[in-house]
Amino acid sequence: MKNNRLLKILLITIFITISYVMLYFSSNEIYIERFEGIFVGFNELYINNHIRLDNIMLIPLISHNVNGDFGLPLRVQQIIETESYFPCFITLFLTLHYVTGLPTFYLIALPLGVLFIPIAYIAMIKKYINTNNKVIFFLLSIYMVLYLISTRSYGSFYVAVPSLLLVIIIFISIKNNLNMINRKSNYIIILISLISLVHYWHSMFMIIFLYIFTLFFIYLLYYLTKKFNFLNKYNKFLYFHKYNVITLLSILLLATVVVFTFSHLWQSEYISGYISDSSLEDYFVNAITKLFGGKSFYVPYSYNYKSLLYGKVYFISLLSLYALSTFLLITSIFFYLYIYRNNNVVRHKDNLFFALSILISTVIFTFLYYKSNSVSFPQVLLFFPIFGLSLYTYIIKNQKSYKQYILIIITVIMILLSILVTISLVLTNEAGATSLTKYMDTEVSFYWLYNYSDKSNDIIVDFNILGLYLQHESKSEKLALQYKDLSPYSYSVLIGDNVDTINIFHDNYAIIDHSTMQRGLPVHVTTARSLMMPHLNEINNCKNQNKLYMDNCISIYYIN
């Protein structure tokens, strides 16, 4: 009877989540700006025969030079190169567009992830959690379903959706392989998933690659310790089979071949720059700054959503989720070692190694990627609770013990915090990430600019408007506009803080989203993917530029 009630609660939670996400996300066009808007513009350029797709390299190891069309505007060439990193998703997106007949704008706005990501997560939880502990299983499932509302995993139909699904599939397949369940089938699933994932999103691929890498070396270390009788004191922890090492070695070799053959990281200059400029001290400074709410990378005029009441609520709630997720994982590892310190046989050792691997690989991942001007810890909220509670559910035998009740309380608190995060995001326009100006709001201003501007002059646009204008221009006969990304440097000229270098932007046009700025919402820039404070009055009063055009949402200025 109790299990039936829990199942009903879980099903009701999933139904409410799907209904809410479908209605709110679609009607308010949540998470379809910035990268998503540019991606739609890229696809529209192809659909309207402005670009070809033969520039996409499926095997960068053989050739990683993008075959660009040098007759196109420079910013369009850069967009083509960037989008070439996602060939699988381009194929999937265009296939769905042609099969369903849905315009690309509506297709990107559909939160399709909410239809299958919750089911995939529940399947992963069932695979890793001791299902004899029904309460933790259902509570953790409810938490994951609710928490993901605040991420892009449910949001727009972009790379996060299929990438996360593939990562979950790989996690499940690795567990099956180590448990000797359908080994050949799972090898095939892992191989296909890895090749697909590296062509969807290299960041997600590196998350799973580093996990596999770490997991293999943990198993190998313990195997060698047992075989050669090192560290006799800890031999009681080394009861496992050589089969696991061989299995993980084969999976790691598969992943290594995939990363060197298919990874589009070889097209970028990130690796060489990282090798020459990274340091542990720099990483720790940026990571600590990020964890305490600061800006890891300085950007002038940065927008601080934490200055708002609900912004503070969002930050504190999210930070609490990070703390509880990390607490669950780390304490489960120490609790496991404490409980079994006097045992001669280690049980459920796989769960210990899983927990150690996700912890170590997360640290490695953030260190390897911090030079991308983004210090983030996606694994903490996506996977720490699963691996931490997995270990706990196998070592806590008495489900009526105080330890079990502590886990229940922590999981319930995480559920409440995830709800609080979602509510505070709604009340802050997703912490400032959602602009008020949408696709249809920019049509008139775009055609005025296209028809009346001097095509030889640069056009300064923010991160959001760039994608929207690109979508409009794809329907024109010729790509003629010379877009230039708005930066803190050019922004300082527009608000009058920098008059010494105004000649650099002489004769440039500047597109200003005054509708969004009037509401106190930030300006989107590509620099460190940041948001900048709105200074609309300063722009209107600055003598560096003249206003040429204005409608309900957009103003167009000419810089003198």
Side-chain angles (χ1 to χ4, degrees), residues 141-171:
S141 298
I142 290 171
Y143 161 70
M144 291 308 307
V145 169
L146 292 177
Y147 160 68
L148 289 169
I149 296 175
S150 62
T151 73
R152 294 182 183 272
S153 303
Y154 286 172
S156 58
F157 183 53
Y158 193 50
V159 291
V161 176
S163 297
L164 182 57
L165 179 63
L166 288 169
V167 167
I168 294 172
I169 289 173
I170 294 171
F171 273 126

Side-chain angles (χ1 to χ4, degrees), residues 45-104:
L45 292 177
Y46 169 73
I47 292 169
N48 291 287
N49 300 314
H50 287 294
I51 63 173
R52 306 184 310 273
L53 294 183
D54 59 359
N55 55 73
I56 296 178
M57 296 296 172
L58 293 176
I59 308 179
L61 180 65
I62 298 175
S63 175
H64 56 263
N65 295 317
V66 176
N67 299 320
D69 186 342
F70 296 105
L72 296 173
L74 178 61
R75 189 65 182 94
V76 174
Q77 293 181 46
Q78 294 170 345
I79 289 172
I80 292 172
E81 181 176 3
T82 301
E83 299 304 327
S84 71
Y85 286 29
F86 313 112
C88 272
F89 188 67
I90 293 170
T91 303
L92 175 62
F93 190 84
L94 288 174
T95 300
L96 287 175
H97 162 69
Y98 287 122
V99 170
T100 63
L102 283 173
T104 56

Side-chain angles (χ1 to χ4, degrees), residues 349-412:
K349 61 195 175 300
D350 290 343
N351 297 284
L352 172 64
F353 299 149
F354 296 149
L356 286 169
S357 297
I358 196 67
L359 177 63
I360 296 171
S361 63
T362 297
V363 175
I364 297 173
F365 174 84
T366 54
F367 177 61
L368 292 178
Y369 269 77
Y370 89 99
K371 276 299 179 181
S372 63
N373 289 337
S374 175
V375 177
S376 60
F377 310 89
Q379 302 95 316
V380 173
L381 297 180
L382 291 175
F383 302 114
F384 276 26
I386 296 177
F387 288 107
L389 287 172
S390 169
L391 194 51
Y392 268 123
T393 56
Y394 279 102
I395 56 182
I396 295 178
K397 303 299 182 182
N398 184 3
Q399 296 188 25
K400 293 185 178 180
S401 68
Y402 75 92
K403 301 181 188 72
Q404 170 78 357
Y405 290 126
I406 290 175
L407 293 181
I408 291 174
I409 291 171
I410 291 176
T411 311
V412 169

Side-chain angles (χ1 to χ4, degrees), residues 204-445:
M204 271 293 189
F205 177 85
M206 291 307 295
I207 285 176
I208 197 68
F209 175 79
L210 291 172
Y211 172 79
I212 295 170
F213 176 85
T214 308
L215 187 61
F216 164 71
F217 277 99
I218 288 175
Y219 271 96
L220 179 64
L221 176 63
Y222 277 85
Y223 172 73
L224 293 176
T225 305
K226 179 189 176 190
K227 183 173 181 179
F228 296 107
N229 203 29
F230 295 148
L231 303 176
N232 288 322
K233 181 179 177 181
Y234 298 101
N235 273 346
K236 63 191 75 175
F237 294 98
L238 307 175
Y239 185 75
F240 63 90
H241 300 291
K242 184 170 149 182
Y243 162 80
N244 289 335
V245 175
I246 297 173
T247 298
L248 286 170
L249 176 60
S250 61
I251 295 174
L252 177 61
L253 290 175
L254 286 177
T256 304
V257 170
V258 169
V259 73
F260 280 102
T261 306
F262 299 105
S263 177
H264 289 258
L265 283 172
W266 314 128
Q267 291 176 236
S268 73
E269 298 177 356
Y270 178 78
I271 295 176
S272 58
Y274 176 86
I275 293 173
S276 63
D277 197 32
S278 62
S279 70
L280 278 173
E281 180 183 358
D282 186 35
Y283 164 70
F284 283 120
V285 169
N286 284 286
I288 292 171
T289 303
K290 175 77 172 184
L291 288 173
F292 283 92
K295 298 289 183 180
S296 301
F297 300 92
Y298 173 72
V299 176
Y301 313 109
S302 287
Y303 174 76
N304 184 12
Y305 66 84
K306 294 183 287 295
S307 63
L308 306 172
L309 173 61
Y310 292 111
K312 291 178 182 176
V313 172
Y314 166 70
F315 174 73
I316 294 172
S317 301
L318 190 65
L319 191 62
S320 300
L321 282 177
Y322 272 100
L324 288 174
S325 298
T326 306
F327 174 82
L328 281 175
L329 184 70
I330 293 178
T331 57
S332 70
I333 294 170
F334 282 104
F335 187 51
Y336 181 95
L337 297 174
Y338 173 78
I339 290 294
Y340 287 103
R341 72 188 187 280
N342 295 321
N343 288 20
N344 292 322
V345 178
V346 176
R347 295 183 177 89
H348 315 301
K349 61 195 175 300
D350 290 343
N351 297 284
L352 172 64
F353 299 149
F354 296 149
L356 286 169
S357 297
I358 196 67
L359 177 63
I360 296 171
S361 63
T362 297
V363 175
I364 297 173
F365 174 84
T366 54
F367 177 61
L368 292 178
Y369 269 77
Y370 89 99
K371 276 299 179 181
S372 63
N373 289 337
S374 175
V375 177
S376 60
F377 310 89
Q379 302 95 316
V380 173
L381 297 180
L382 291 175
F383 302 114
F384 276 26
I386 296 177
F387 288 107
L389 287 172
S390 169
L391 194 51
Y392 268 123
T393 56
Y394 279 102
I395 56 182
I396 295 178
K397 303 299 182 182
N398 184 3
Q399 296 188 25
K400 293 185 178 180
S401 68
Y402 75 92
K403 301 181 188 72
Q404 170 78 357
Y405 290 126
I406 290 175
L407 293 181
I408 291 174
I409 291 171
I410 291 176
T411 311
V412 169
I413 292 174
M414 292 176 69
I415 291 172
L416 296 176
L417 286 172
S418 65
I419 295 172
L420 201 56
V421 165
T422 298
I423 293 173
S424 56
L425 276 177
V426 172
L427 296 174
T428 57
N429 282 70
E430 288 66 50
T434 301
S435 299
L436 300 182
T437 299
K438 307 300 182 182
Y439 173 75
M440 294 306 299
D441 299 325
T442 57
E443 183 176 15
V444 177
S445 64

Side-chain angles (χ1 to χ4, degrees), residues 110-130:
L110 284 178
L112 297 180
V114 74
L115 298 179
F116 50 83
I117 293 295
I119 306 302
Y121 254 109
I122 292 171
M124 179 179 173
I125 293 170
K126 185 176 181 181
K127 178 61 63 176
Y128 280 85
I129 294 288
N130 185 349

